[in-house]
């Protein structure tokens, strides 16, 4: 039988050899083929044609059933995405939660606690037709249950089981990580996979575990706000964490006119932060908790060069970022300046 399988054409449904007719019964994974054998003398031409037709119809039905099974998952995901869009539109603040209706096919599977991600692609040619490819990639990464919900164009909500985070924490040496640190590392790992293996340039936000069936709308609202604030205030970052954006959220709520008045009142020169070197220096300085030595190493400059730059900023603004009060004030001005200059 194996010899017959070897000589049978890949598209043929039957072949006659040595007084027997071999029918392609079932194609296994790989190269193995299961064959149905019938003596030639016991089979008329019409019977052979009928068997081939039955086998062809059976194989086609199996393929269509498999396709429908796969597409039904996408259909349920699209249904949920459309419900979210209908409730939120482009809104992300002041979102009121609403229980998922029974008509949503995924509701019964969204009752356990899950970790939510918001993914936004920057790929110019990427469209919703890549759902299957992206889903397979996520499935291979998480290794457990995962849901991919299309929202806007090039925007997806990703939900994975909370137990996957616990599994990742168990692999740490001392297990002393804070929940935020574990979530950030989890998000970084997923971002690396997506940016390297599929999407290229993309942005990813994550939030605390939640129960999607009860708090999906507010979670999507929070993730969208996190994405907006992260991209507005931290343009070099692709990973955005809501617990790192408290000050940015407050500043974004200040009216534009009040921001401008504050900047003009505090700064003698409102163009001081147009200098890229000044911006880079201050951002590194604040990122490293105002540590002069660490900042100089990060910027690959001599410590005295950094001190010279800080003195220059003091001369131009009247603010010494090496003191706590002035450092807080300059940090606020930087954030205000970023959101104000866009307008």
């Amino acid at each position: 039988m194996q010899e017959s399988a070897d000589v049978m054409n890949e598209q043929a449904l039957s072949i006659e050899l040595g007084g027997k007719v071999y029918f392609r019964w079932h194609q296994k994974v790989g190269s193995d083929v299961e064959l149905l054998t019938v003596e030639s003398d016991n089979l008329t031409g019409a019977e052979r044609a009928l068997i081939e037709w039955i086998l062809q119809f059976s194989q086609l039905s199996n393929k269509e059933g498999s396709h429908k099974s796969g597409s039904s998952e996408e259909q349920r995901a699209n249904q949920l995405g459309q419900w979210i869009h209908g409730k939120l539109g482009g809104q992300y603040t002041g979102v009121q939660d609403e229980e998922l209706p029974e008509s949503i096919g995924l509701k019964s599977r969204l009752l356990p606690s899950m970790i939510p991600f918001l993914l936004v692609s920057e790929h110019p040619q990427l469209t919703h037709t890549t759902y299957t490819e992206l889903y397979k990639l996520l499935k291979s990464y998480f290794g457990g249950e995962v849901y991919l919900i299309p929202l806007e164009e090039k925007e997806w909500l990703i939900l994975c089981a909370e137990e996957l985070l616990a599994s990742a924490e168990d692999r740490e040496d001392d297990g002393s990580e804070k929940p935020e640190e574990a979530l950030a590392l989890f998000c970084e790992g997923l971002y690396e996979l997506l940016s390297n293996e599929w999407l290229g340039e993309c942005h990813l936000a994550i939030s605390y575990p939640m129960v999607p069936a009860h708090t999906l709308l507010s979670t999507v609202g929070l993730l969208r706000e996190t994405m907006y604030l992260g991209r507005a205030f931290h343009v070099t970052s692709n990973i955005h964490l809501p617990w790192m954006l408290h000050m940015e959220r407050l500043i974004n709520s200040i009216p534009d006119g009040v921001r401008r008045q504050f900047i003009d009142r505090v700064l003698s020169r409102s163009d001081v932060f147009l200098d890229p070197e000044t911006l880079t220096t201050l951002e590194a300085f604040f990122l490293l908790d105002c540590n002069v030595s660490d900042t100089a190493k990060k910027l690959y400059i001599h410590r005295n060069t950094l001190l010279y730059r800080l003195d220059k900023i003091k001369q131009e603004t009247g603010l010494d970022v090496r003191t706590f009060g002035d450092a807080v004030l300059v940090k606020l001005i930087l954030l205000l300046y970023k959101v104000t200059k866009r307008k």
Side-chain angles (χ1 to χ4, degrees):
M1 185 172 291
Q2 182 60 45
E3 181 181 355
S4 301
D6 291 338
V7 299
M8 180 178 285
N9 183 279
E10 184 177 353
Q11 301 300 323
L13 289 174
S14 70
I15 187 172
E16 185 172 353
L17 288 173
K20 295 182 180 181
V21 178
Y22 297 92
F23 293 91
R24 183 189 296 274
W25 182 258
H26 178 65
Q27 176 74 54
K28 293 183 177 179
V29 178
S31 60
D32 292 335
V33 179
E34 290 183 355
L35 301 177
L36 172 65
T37 308
V38 181
E39 296 289 338
S40 302
D41 294 339
N42 299 329
L43 193 66
T44 66
E47 289 171 339
R48 177 173 174 177
L50 178 60
I51 294 174
E52 288 182 344
W53 181 84
I54 293 173
L55 291 175
Q56 186 177 23
F57 181 81
S58 175
Q59 292 171 9
L60 181 61
S61 298
N62 288 337
K63 289 181 179 179
E64 289 179 346
S66 175
H67 173 72
K68 289 179 180 178
S69 175
S71 64
S72 64
E73 187 72 19
E74 183 176 355
Q75 289 171 1
R76 285 190 288 268
N78 281 323
Q79 180 194 26
L80 180 54
Q82 290 167 6
W83 181 81
I84 294 172
H85 178 74
K87 294 295 181 180
L88 295 184
Q91 179 185 6
Y92 60 77
T93 57
V95 175
Q96 297 295 320
D97 267 316
E98 185 174 327
E99 187 87 5
L100 287 181
E102 296 297 333
S103 59
I104 297 296
L106 289 176
K107 179 178 180 180
S108 62
R109 294 155 63 182
L110 298 179
L111 290 171
S113 182
M114 296 182 176
I115 302 171
F117 301 83
L118 185 66
L119 169 64
V120 174
S121 169
E122 294 292 318
H123 196 293
Q125 298 178 338
L126 198 63
T127 66
H128 65 281
T129 56
T130 56
Y131 176 93
T132 301
E133 180 185 354
L134 177 55
Y135 180 80
K136 288 180 179 178
L137 186 64
L138 294 171
K139 193 75 173 176
S140 67
Y141 174 75
F142 289 112
E145 196 165 29
V146 60
Y147 298 96
L148 176 63
I149 315 298
L151 298 176
E152 302 289 347
E153 184 179 7
K154 301 181 183 180
E155 180 191 43
W156 293 269
L157 174 68
I158 301 170
L159 302 171
C160 74
E162 184 180 4
E163 290 77 11
L164 295 177
L165 179 62
S167 299
E169 288 177 314
D170 290 341
R171 292 194 292 267
E172 297 299 322
D173 292 335
D174 55 10
S176 61
E177 276 187 326
K178 296 180 180 179
E180 291 81 3
E181 293 173 345
L183 287 168
L185 289 174
F186 204 30
C187 192
E188 289 174 10
L190 179 56
Y191 171 76
E192 289 297 323
L193 174 77
L194 293 170
S195 60
N196 293 330
E197 299 295 332
W198 185 65
L199 287 169
E201 184 71 15
C202 63
H203 290 262
L204 196 63
I206 190 174
S207 189
Y208 296 102
M210 54 77 177
V211 177
H214 305 315
T215 59
L216 193 58
L217 293 180
S218 63
T219 298
V220 173
L222 174 61
L223 288 170
R224 280 181 168 173
E225 182 188 35
T226 299
M227 184 73 70
Y228 169 78
L229 294 174
R231 299 182 69 173
F233 288 97
H234 305 285
V235 294
T236 61
S237 178
N238 293 78
I239 297 174
H240 310 291
L241 312 171
W243 51 85
M244 299 295 293
L245 297 168
H246 296 306
M247 188 178 293
E248 289 83 349
R249 186 173 292 106
L250 175 64
I251 288 173
N252 189 62
S253 67
I254 300 174
D256 184 55
V258 177
R259 297 182 197 137
R260 295 181 185 276
Q261 290 177 9
F262 180 82
I263 293 175
D264 293 340
R265 187 181 303 117
V266 172
L267 290 178
S268 56
R269 286 180 51 197
S270 59
D271 63 343
V272 66
F273 297 120
L274 291 175
D275 178 29
E277 182 182 273
T278 299
L279 283 173
T280 302
T281 300
L282 288 172
E283 287 179 349
F285 189 63
F286 293 138
L287 180 65
L288 296 168
D289 298 325
C290 302
N291 186 294
V292 172
S293 298
D294 290 346
T295 303
K297 290 179 182 178
K298 181 176 178 62
L299 296 175
Y300 299 103
I301 59 177
H302 193 275
R303 189 174 188 275
N304 290 339
T305 302
L306 175 60
L307 292 174
Y308 169 78
R309 291 184 185 180
L310 298 181
D311 286 335
K312 184 180 178 181
I313 293 171
K314 180 181 179 181
Q315 293 173 3
E316 294 179 344
T317 65
L319 299 170
D320 185 358
V321 293
R322 285 165 292 189
T323 64
F324 177 77
D326 285 356
V328 171
L329 192 56
V330 171
K331 176 66 175 178
L332 285 171
I333 292 171
L334 275 180
L335 294 174
L336 284 167
Y337 181 75
K338 285 180 180 180
V339 74
T340 301
K341 73 173 182 177
R342 297 198 317 272
K343 300 175 181 279

